[in-house]
């Protein structure tokens, strides 16, 4: 047996339960201050305690990275104050359990009226306001009418805001609510939550209260109305609520993931009501808006946590370019990157970002020009720099043309954009490449086989 088998230290961690987590939490409040405590530390639970370490539960990976990078030393020091033998802390991500949540809500509702539960679960979020909603070409009209509605109630009624996931609908609706809150009776609720109260009121035989409650608002904001699709009795109730609100001149603001007419399985009369005011839409953000949002988020985080976040323009540009369609995803990616740079305490390069984001992008199977270039150059066993270079020898030129062809076929980039990514070539070069490879892949079996193989490599990634 080799010397590797010699055991130097026999030390076994044993489970113990001596810590009082509540007491420790209280001490956190003192040393971290209530703000940091309530946004971060209060959400940490204790999962298991051993003689020499503890496992703490946190809600998400991002949360863990953030905690580890910023507070871990202090937390350990503090907990050691209660138990000297501890020498490390581990984290476990505990996904929020929806069932627990619902039973908690049920319990609460037993003792509260609809009003309180609305107050509890449909609070306006002070962080989603007009000030931090960044204007761009894709949301310009939606934003300006949202503001107009606040100035002149009932002029555009209902205001219907539509657009895909994560493009800012809830943010806008919330901003309207905040703006009008002080002088109006604002109700802000998701269609799903509306249904929840509706069903609960039916069960409790308390429809009178339900109707009263929802019909007394002077500004009624309902988010994600597409939720009512296919739910007949809910539509019926919504229709009545809608009509009586309109009758008394309340302003109604609605959001959905599609236009009113595209709401299939919704009664025609409701669709036409929804479309009867003003319909505005939010489109997919362009590069400029994405970049602006990233910069503003960075500032926001800097101010909130009083620290310097050092991301180069190059990195910001990379993130804005890679994240295709969705602002929620864009911000999620930014958070990951910031957490990573915290943990590793370094200024990030594009390559770091690529690594961090590998799984994010592969989940959604986004194929990028970069990815195509990498895979094609690997496939032909040439250097990426050679493939992009100006040299025209066939062993370099063909792969280059194949990569251009695939970039055109498999991404949404325009010809000039693709040209730029290939060491600033002209778009006519790209057109020529696409034509050549299209022709060759029809005539030449070898080429056909190569293209199929590269495509499947790309889709596998
Ligand atoms: P939706 O309701 O359309 O799915 P959200 O309103 O939840 O989208 O927006 C997703 C995320 O993107 C939120 O964090 C929101 O604050 C942010 N966001 C969207 N649009 C903007 C914008 N124009 N400026 C700043 N943040 C934005
Ligand atoms: Mg939303």
């Amino acid at each position: 047996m080799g010397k590797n088998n010699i055991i130097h230290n026999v030390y076994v961690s044993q489970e113990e339960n001596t810590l009082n987590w509540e007491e420790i939490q209280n001490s956190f409040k003192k040393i971290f201050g209530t703000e940091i405590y309530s946004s971060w530390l209060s959400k940490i639970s204790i999962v298991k305690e051993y003689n020499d370490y503890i496992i703490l539960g946190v809600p998400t990976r991002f949360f863990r990275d953030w905690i580890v990078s910023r507070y871990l030393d202090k937390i350990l020091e503090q907990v050691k104050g209660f138990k000297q033998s501890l020498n490390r802390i581990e984290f476990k991500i505990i996904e929020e359990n929806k069932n627990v949540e619902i039973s908690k809500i049920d319990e609460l509702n037993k003792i509260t009226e609809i009003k309180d539960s609305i107050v509890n679960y449909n609070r306006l979020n002070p962080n989603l306001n007009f000030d931090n909603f960044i204007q761009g070409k894709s949301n310009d009209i939606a934003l300006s009418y949202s503001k107009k509605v606040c100035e002149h109630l009932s002029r555009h009624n209902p205001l219907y805001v539509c657009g895909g996931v994560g493009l800012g609908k809830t943010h806008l609706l919330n901003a309207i609510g905040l703006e009008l809150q002080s002088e109006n009776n604002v109700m802000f609720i998701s269609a799903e939550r509306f249904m929840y109260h509706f069903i609960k009121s039916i069960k409790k035989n308390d429809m009178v209260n339900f109707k009263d409650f929802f019909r007394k608002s002077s500004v009624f904001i309902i988010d994600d109305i597409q939720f009512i699709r296919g739910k007949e009795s809910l539509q019926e109730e919504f229709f009545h609520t809608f009509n009586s609100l309109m009758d008394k001149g309340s302003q109604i603001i609605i959001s959905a993931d599609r236009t009113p007419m595209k709401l299939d399985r919704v009664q025609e009369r409701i669709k036409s009501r929804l479309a009867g005011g003003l319909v505005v839409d939010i489109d997919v953000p362009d590069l400029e808006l994405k970049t602006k949002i990233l910069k503003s988020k960075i500032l926001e985080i800097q101010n909130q946590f009083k620290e310097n976040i050092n991301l180069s323009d190059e990195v910001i540009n990379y993130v804005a370019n890679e994240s295709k369609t969705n602002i929620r995803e864009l911000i999620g990616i930014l958070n990951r990157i910031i957490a990573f740079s915290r943990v590793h305490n370094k200024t990030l390069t594009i390559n770091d970002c690529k690594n961090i984001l590998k799984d994010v992008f592969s989940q959604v199977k986004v194929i990028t020009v970069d990815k195509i270039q990498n895979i094609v150059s690997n496939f032909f066993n040439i250097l990426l720099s050679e493939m992009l270079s100006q040299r025209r020898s066939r062993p370099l030129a063909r792969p280059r043309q194949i990569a251009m062809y695939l970039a055109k076929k498999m991404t949404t980039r325009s010809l000039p954009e693709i040209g730029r990514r290939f060491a600033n070539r002209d778009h006519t070069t790209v057109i020529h490449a696409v034509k050549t490879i299209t022709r060759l892949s029809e005539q030449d079996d070898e080429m056909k086989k190569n293209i199929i193989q590269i495509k499947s490599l790309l889709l596998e990634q």
Side-chain angles (χ1 to χ4, degrees), residues 299-317:
L299 276 182
E300 210 174 287
I301 296 172
Q302 286 198 141
N303 289 337
Q304 192 181 353
F305 298 104
K306 312 253 176 314
E307 73 173 299
N308 206 13
I309 292 171
N310 225 335
L311 294 183
S312 67
D313 280 354
E314 204 190 2
V315 162
I316 293 175
N317 200 38

Side-chain angles (χ1 to χ4, degrees), residues 55-277:
I55 303 176
L56 299 181
V58 290
T60 61
R61 267 166 68 186
F62 171 67
F63 192 104
R64 177 199 61 199
D65 294 345
W66 191 271
I67 293 277
V68 168
S69 65
R70 302 177 51 90
Y71 308 125
L72 185 58
D73 292 346
K74 258 187 168 172
I75 294 176
L76 181 60
E77 190 187 329
Q78 191 64 13
V79 184
K80 262 174 103 86
F82 291 87
K83 186 172 177 180
Q84 199 52 42
S85 59
L86 291 179
N87 55 35
R88 74 191 149 94
I89 294 178
E90 284 183 10
F91 288 92
K92 184 168 186 237
I93 290 143
I94 300 172
E95 305 257 335
E96 213 173 294
N97 186 333
K98 289 246 165 66
N99 295 331
V100 171
E101 182 94 319
I102 286 168
S103 68
K104 245 198 292 180
I105 292 170
D106 268 343
E107 196 127 294
L108 267 170
N109 283 344
K110 272 188 207 136
I111 46 168
T112 51
E113 287 302 305
I114 296 178
K115 181 168 177 219
D116 290 336
S117 73
I118 294 280
V119 171
N120 280 336
Y121 297 103
N122 300 286
R123 246 187 315 222
L124 290 162
N125 181 344
N127 298 320
L128 303 175
N129 49 50
F130 281 129
D131 289 339
N132 66 6
F133 189 88
I134 313 293
Q135 182 187 21
K137 285 195 198 85
S138 52
N139 61 29
D140 196 21
I141 293 176
L143 175 61
S144 72
Y145 279 102
S146 296
K147 286 183 171 165
K148 271 193 195 137
V149 159
C150 295
E151 285 162 22
H152 304 283
L153 287 176
S154 310
R155 184 177 291 180
H156 302 290
N157 211 5
L159 176 70
Y160 184 104
V161 181
C162 55
V165 179
L167 297 184
K169 301 181 298 292
T170 301
H171 190 142
L172 263 189
L173 262 54
N174 193 92
I176 296 175
L178 286 176
E179 191 74 21
L180 295 173
Q181 196 176 28
S182 60
E183 304 200 341
N184 299 275
N185 182 357
V186 173
M187 168 99 32
F188 175 64
I189 191 166
S190 68
E192 188 175 0
R193 203 76 213 154
F194 183 79
M195 181 178 86
Y196 173 84
H197 289 295
F198 173 57
I199 291 176
K200 210 162 55 98
S201 306
I202 294 175
K203 279 195 191 143
K204 286 202 330 197
N205 217 344
D206 194 15
M207 278 310 288
V208 177
N209 249 330
F210 176 88
K211 288 181 201 293
D212 275 2
F213 183 70
F214 284 101
R215 292 174 195 185
K216 72 170 190 270
S217 54
S218 61
V219 175
F220 183 71
I221 308 177
I222 185 158
D223 201 6
D224 289 323
I225 198 73
Q226 73 275 0
F227 185 81
I228 67 172
R229 286 159 61 231
K231 303 186 177 74
E232 276 301 322
S233 57
L234 182 64
Q235 290 181 23
E236 202 63 35
E237 188 54 40
F238 174 74
F239 186 66
H240 293 308
T241 305
F242 184 97
N243 287 344
S244 69
L245 285 167
M246 288 296 272
D247 280 346
K248 74 188 202 74
S250 300
Q251 172 72 48
I252 300 176
I253 300 122
I254 296 158
S255 84
D257 65 355
R258 63 199 84 188
T259 60
M261 288 312 155
K262 288 214 176 111
L263 289 169
D264 53 312
R265 291 180 295 138
V266 170
Q267 298 168 13
E268 285 304 322
R269 56 179 189 165
I270 294 186
K271 286 199 244 186
S272 65
R273 284 287 158 126
L274 294 177

Side-chain angles (χ1 to χ4, degrees), residues 404 415-416 418-420 422-431:
M404 287 182 186
L415 294 165
I418 295 171
R420 272 199 294 281
F422 283 79
N424 255 331
R425 287 177 162 80
D426 192 59
H427 75 279
T428 52
T429 311
V430 184
I431 294 176

